[in-house]
């Protein structure tokens, strides 16, 4: 008899990528949570990388870090922001992980000499991971990365087809949602359903019949076209959902709820038709559209700005702070490589309500531009927030500009430096009470990842912001501030106001003579959400709006 707790919704995509499958998955998860159901979400990515940790931000976008230290797809950030449910390592599954496990099993002799094949060994491993994720929740949503028809996705699609036949799950406990594009041809002023028909036909050829179709179009899809899609999908017209393009992504849950997708899914999975407590989302959308009296312009000085999703969580966190503080936040992205001298920042002179953010990153490229922006903010008392690499550059710039250590740098930029104020722990000359770490210099395993506790200095700005003695934020970095130079740091006009609880590592710095000059080694953007924001961004935006 099928276990009633194992309700699984599979979300696939068709026609083109980047339709917002992750947002739709997160939105449906938010609605089911609003019904009082315990949910979780699994993202299955078809690439052969074990995780996106070593992938270029230009190609993959942001790497989202979970509290348990997993480097995952950026969609997991959307899942957390929309549902309030924490994601973990097991919430992101890649082809690389599946094949690594199966090959390790084969080498160990677990398959008793059998020929190892995609079916059943790869698909069985995928099914096993899905069932494990589903075992502890009321409903598991599974987003299948890629587009139906991609060769890379076929093992995942075959696995989710088999799930409905699994005696522990069964057809009655599975639901398939297909997101597709219905393009609008401007020359003919028509929406075209044929690509969607072909996508659904491809899905059926694999053996999967969609229960619901979500159609994205830049123009409203009329009833006749929705009925046509339903007919070619073997569905009732009520099972075809239309969503357009909205002012904010936080309108998507309401758009799905207004077309009763949540209740139709509950019915399909034989779940109780409980009250959907949607009021927080209604209030949130009202706040996004409310006319705001305050304004804050943020100059984001980064090196990955050519990919709009490279700083996704950071940009969302700044927007969240705008919602919380009722401030209209305007974000201007500037390529740090384009800043080669201080005169190029003259456009910031005499501007009000502005701030600068120096985000994280890796490598020496674009460092000069970031340091020039930091110097300009320090001299002209412009509010500035440095995150991860941003903190390290704020420290290096202050030591250099004040003449304390003219050649201060990081071993990430110059391995032969005699002034490594930022370096790997393994490169430090003294222990300084730091416990032995398990980090090494291999790219894939030398990172400090996940949530760490930080003790804040009483009376500091950062303590005033968080109103807590100890906070927990997420990290993703390889290099640390070298405590060998603590005396010089204090002489440069900076204070160390946050330290790692377990290892005393330097986590927060502030300027003594600046209204808002804060650098943090952690990534506070990973724990921001549209309802409450994050304390440091809320304070940053509020300060700028009032300046």
């Amino acid at each position: 008899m099928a276990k009633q707790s194992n309700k699984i919704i599979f979300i696939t995509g068709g026609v083109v990528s980047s339709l917002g499958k992750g947002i739709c998955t997160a939105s449906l998860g938010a609605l089911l949570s609003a019904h009082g159901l315990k949910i979780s979400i699994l993202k299955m990515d078809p690439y052969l990388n074990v995780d996106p940790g070593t992938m270029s931000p230009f190609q993959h976008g942001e790497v989202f870090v979970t509290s348990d230290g997993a480097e995952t797809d950026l969609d997991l950030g959307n899942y957390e922001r929309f549902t309030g449910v924490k994601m973990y390592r097991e919430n992101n599954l890649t082809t690389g992980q599946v094949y690594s496990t199966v090959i390790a099993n084969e080498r160990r002799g677990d398959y008793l000499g059998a020929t190892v094949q995609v079916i059943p060994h790869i698909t069985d491993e995928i099914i096993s991971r899905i069932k494990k994720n589903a075992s502890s929740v009321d409903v598991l949503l599974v987003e299948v990365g890629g587009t139906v028809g991609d060769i890379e996705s076929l093992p995942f699609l075959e696995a989710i087809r088999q799930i409905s036949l699994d005696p522990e799950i069964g057809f009655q406990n599975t639901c398939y949602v297909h997101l597709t594009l219905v393009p609008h041809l401007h020359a003919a002023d028509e929406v075209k359903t044929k690509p969607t028909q072909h996508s659904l036909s491809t899905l059926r050829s694999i053996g999967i019949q969609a229960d619901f179709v979500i159609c994205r179009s830049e123009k409203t899809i009329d009833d006749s076209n929705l009925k046509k899609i339903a007919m070619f999908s073997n569905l009732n017209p009520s099972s075809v959902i239309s969503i357009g393009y909205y002012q904010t992504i936080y309108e998507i849950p309401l758009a799905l709820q207004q077309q009763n997708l949540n209740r139709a899914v509950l019915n399909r999975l034989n779940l109780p038709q409980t009250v959907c407590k949607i009021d927080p989302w209604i209030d949130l959308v009202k706040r996004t559209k409310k006319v705001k009296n305050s304004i804050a312009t943020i100059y984001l000085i980064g090196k990955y700005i050519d990919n709009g999703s490279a700083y996704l969580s950071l940009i969302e966190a700044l927007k969240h702070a705008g919602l919380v503080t009722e401030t209209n936040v305007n974000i201007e992205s500037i390529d740090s490589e384009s800043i080669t001298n201080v005169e190029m920042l003259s456009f910031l002179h005499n501007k009000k309500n502005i701030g600068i953010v120096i985000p994280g990153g890796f490598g020496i490229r674009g460092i000069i531009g970031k340091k020039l922006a930091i110097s300009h903010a320090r001299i002209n008392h412009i509010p500035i927030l440095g995150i991860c690499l941003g903190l390290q550059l704020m420290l290096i710039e202050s030591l250099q500009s004040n003449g304390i250590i003219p050649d201060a740098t990081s071993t990430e930029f110059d391995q032969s430096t005699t002034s490594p104020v930022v370096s790997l722990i393994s490169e430090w000359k003294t222990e300084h009470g730091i416990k032995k770490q398990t980090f090494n210099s291999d790219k894939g395993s030398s990172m400090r990842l996940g949530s760490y506790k930080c003790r804040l200095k009483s009376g500091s700005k950062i303590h005033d912001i968080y109103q807590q003695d100890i906070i927990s934020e997420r990290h993703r970095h390889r290099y640390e501030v070298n405590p060998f130079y603590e005396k010089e740091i204090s002489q440069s006009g900076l204070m160390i106001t946050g330290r790692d609880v377990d290892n005393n590592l330097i986590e927060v710095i502030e300027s003594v003579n600046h209204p808002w000059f804060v650098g943090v080694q952690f990534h506070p953007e990973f724990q921001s959400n549209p309802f409450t924001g994050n304390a440091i961004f809320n304070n940053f935006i509020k300060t700028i709006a009032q300046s």
Side-chain angles (χ1 to χ4, degrees):
M1 186 175 183
K3 296 179 181 178
Q4 293 303 303
S5 60
N6 289 341
K7 306 289 187 179
I8 308 176
I9 303 169
F10 297 104
I11 299 92
T12 56
V15 183
V16 296
S17 58
S18 302
L19 283 179
K21 185 152 37 68
I23 298 295
C24 285
T25 302
S27 297
L28 181 54
L31 290 174
L32 295 176
S33 290
H35 278 284
L37 293 168
K38 182 179 181 182
I39 69 106
S40 188
I41 306 178
L42 171 63
K43 173 66 183 295
M44 300 198 301
D45 281 307
Y47 48 73
L48 281 169
N49 303 66
V50 172
D51 61 44
T54 57
M55 295 169 70
S56 168
F58 290 109
Q59 183 180 94
H60 184 267
E62 173 188 84
V63 172
F64 184 78
V65 178
T66 59
S67 61
D68 62 346
E71 294 176 286
T72 69
D73 186 81
L74 56 82
D75 277 321
L76 272 73
N78 287 322
Y79 301 162
E80 284 202 3
R81 288 187 282 272
F82 274 68
T83 68
V85 177
K86 275 193 176 183
M87 299 291 117
Y88 297 97
R89 186 177 305 277
E90 60 265 26
N91 292 98
N92 196 188
L93 178 62
T94 69
T95 298
Q97 292 174 23
V98 174
Y99 274 81
S100 294
T101 299
V102 170
I103 291 170
N105 291 345
E106 185 273 331
R107 292 289 82 193
R108 198 167 50 241
D110 290 359
Y111 301 123
L112 301 176
T115 301
V116 178
Q117 298 175 293
V118 173
I119 301 172
H121 299 95
I122 296 300
T123 51
D124 281 355
E125 179 61 26
I126 296 169
I127 291 169
S128 174
R129 300 287 188 101
I130 293 172
K131 290 167 71 173
K132 182 180 178 182
N133 274 273
S135 63
S136 59
V137 295
D138 297 322
V139 181
L140 174 69
L141 295 93
V142 180
E143 179 190 346
V144 183
T147 305
V148 169
D150 294 344
I151 190 170
E152 297 92 345
S153 301
L154 286 176
F156 289 110
L157 295 171
E158 172 60 19
I160 70 171
R161 181 193 72 82
Q162 292 183 24
I163 282 276
S164 66
L165 306 175
D166 190 294
E168 293 183 354
I169 307 294
F171 171 80
Q172 69 274 25
N173 291 318
T174 54
C175 174
Y176 298 90
V177 179
H178 191 59
L179 174 66
T180 181
L181 175 69
V182 179
H184 172 247
L185 297 185
H186 291 276
D189 193 24
E190 293 178 350
V191 294
K192 292 297 182 180
T193 66
K194 190 64 71 177
T196 293
Q197 293 175 38
H198 284 309
S199 181
L200 288 160
S201 177
T202 301
L203 195 62
R204 286 195 300 273
S205 72
I206 299 169
I208 298 172
Q209 167 64 51
D211 295 293
F212 302 97
V213 180
I214 300 177
C215 302
R216 287 210 68 185
S217 180
E218 62 183 24
K219 189 169 183 179
T220 302
I221 306 172
D222 58 36
D223 288 341
S224 63
N225 278 311
L226 290 176
K227 288 178 180 178
K228 183 190 294 185
I229 292 170
M231 180 179 66
F232 283 102
S233 307
N234 292 328
L235 293 173
N236 291 322
S238 60
S239 298
V240 181
I241 308 298
S242 174
I243 58 172
Y245 291 81
Y246 301 92
Q247 181 179 331
T248 169
I249 58 175
Y250 302 117
E251 293 182 62
I252 305 298
L254 294 182
L256 298 180
Q257 185 261 347
Q258 287 164 3
Q259 296 179 72
N260 294 311
L261 178 61
N262 51 317
R263 295 202 173 275
V265 167
L266 292 177
N267 184 60
R268 169 67 182 80
L269 294 173
N270 298 312
L271 288 166
Q273 293 285 341
T274 54
V275 174
C276 184
K277 299 180 180 179
I278 199 69
D279 287 350
W281 284 97
I282 295 173
D283 293 340
L284 174 63
V285 170
K286 285 180 179 178
R287 281 193 284 132
T288 66
K289 297 181 177 182
K290 183 179 179 181
V291 177
K292 300 172 180 64
N293 297 321
S294 301
I295 188 170
T297 299
I298 305 301
Y299 293 93
L300 178 62
I301 315 293
K303 58 170 123 180
Y304 308 126
I305 62 169
D306 286 342
N307 185 332
S309 63
Y311 300 113
L312 179 63
S313 291
L314 176 55
I315 290 171
E316 287 301 309
L318 291 166
K319 292 178 180 178
H320 298 163
L323 292 174
V324 172
T325 61
E326 296 188 353
T327 302
N328 184 20
V329 176
N330 177 38
I331 301 171
E332 299 286 344
S333 296
I334 299 177
D335 187 346
S336 59
E337 283 191 283
S338 69
I339 305 172
T340 56
N341 57 70
V342 71
E343 285 74 23
M344 299 182 75
L345 295 167
S346 61
F347 69 92
L348 297 175
H349 289 321
N350 301 319
K351 283 194 174 183
K352 294 183 178 181
N353 309 120
I354 65 171
I356 293 173
V357 174
I358 309 294
F362 298 91
I364 194 170
R365 188 175 56 80
I367 295 304
I368 292 175
K370 290 187 175 187
K371 284 170 56 183
L372 287 170
I374 291 167
S375 177
H376 186 83
R378 179 177 55 79
I379 293 169
N380 294 283
H381 284 194
I382 297 172
I384 181 169
L385 169 63
I387 297 172
C388 196
L389 177 62
L391 169 143
Q392 297 170 6
L393 291 175
M394 291 167 86
L395 173 65
I396 290 169
E397 191 280 331
S398 292
L399 289 169
Q400 290 178 346
S401 297
N402 287 288
I404 306 299
I405 307 178
D407 60 345
T409 190
S410 167
T411 56
E412 183 176 14
F413 314 142
D414 181 4
Q415 291 191 347
S416 63
T417 180
T418 57
S419 301
V421 297
V422 177
S423 58
L424 297 172
I425 290 178
S426 59
E427 296 172 328
W428 292 355
K429 296 179 181 179
T430 58
E431 284 288 335
H432 292 277
I434 307 299
K435 297 176 183 177
K436 290 289 185 181
Q437 301 295 297
T438 58
F439 311 137
N440 60 56
S441 58
D442 294 335
K443 293 292 184 187
S445 57
S446 58
M447 304 284 282
R448 187 168 176 233
L449 293 163
S451 295
Y452 288 84
K453 291 181 179 180
C454 175
R455 188 181 304 278
L456 305 181
K457 184 177 181 179
S458 179
S460 65
K461 179 176 290 293
I462 196 72
H463 188 279
D464 183 57
I465 288 171
Y466 278 96
Q467 292 291 302
Q468 296 178 23
D469 294 329
I470 296 177
I471 61 171
S472 178
E473 293 282 9
R474 299 181 193 177
H475 295 63
R476 183 179 185 247
H477 62 97
R478 183 172 288 113
Y479 291 81
E480 301 276 357
V481 177
N482 192 337
F484 184 81
Y485 295 94
E486 285 193 27
K487 180 180 177 182
E488 289 83 354
I489 291 172
S490 63
Q491 291 173 345
S492 72
L494 297 177
M495 293 189 298
I496 298 168
T497 56
R499 292 181 181 272
D500 177 77
V501 169
D502 294 325
N503 294 300
N504 209 37
L505 299 169
I506 296 170
E507 295 272 72
V508 187
I509 61 168
E510 301 176 15
S511 174
V512 178
N513 302 309
H514 192 285
W516 216 103
F517 188 101
V518 178
V520 296
Q521 187 62 72
F522 45 79
H523 288 265
E525 66 268 27
F526 289 147
Q527 295 195 116
S528 178
N529 68 74
F531 299 100
T532 62
N534 180 285
I536 195 165
F537 291 105
N538 296 348
N539 188 273
F540 183 56
I541 294 300
K542 182 179 179 180
T543 299
I544 294 167
Q546 295 176 348
S547 63

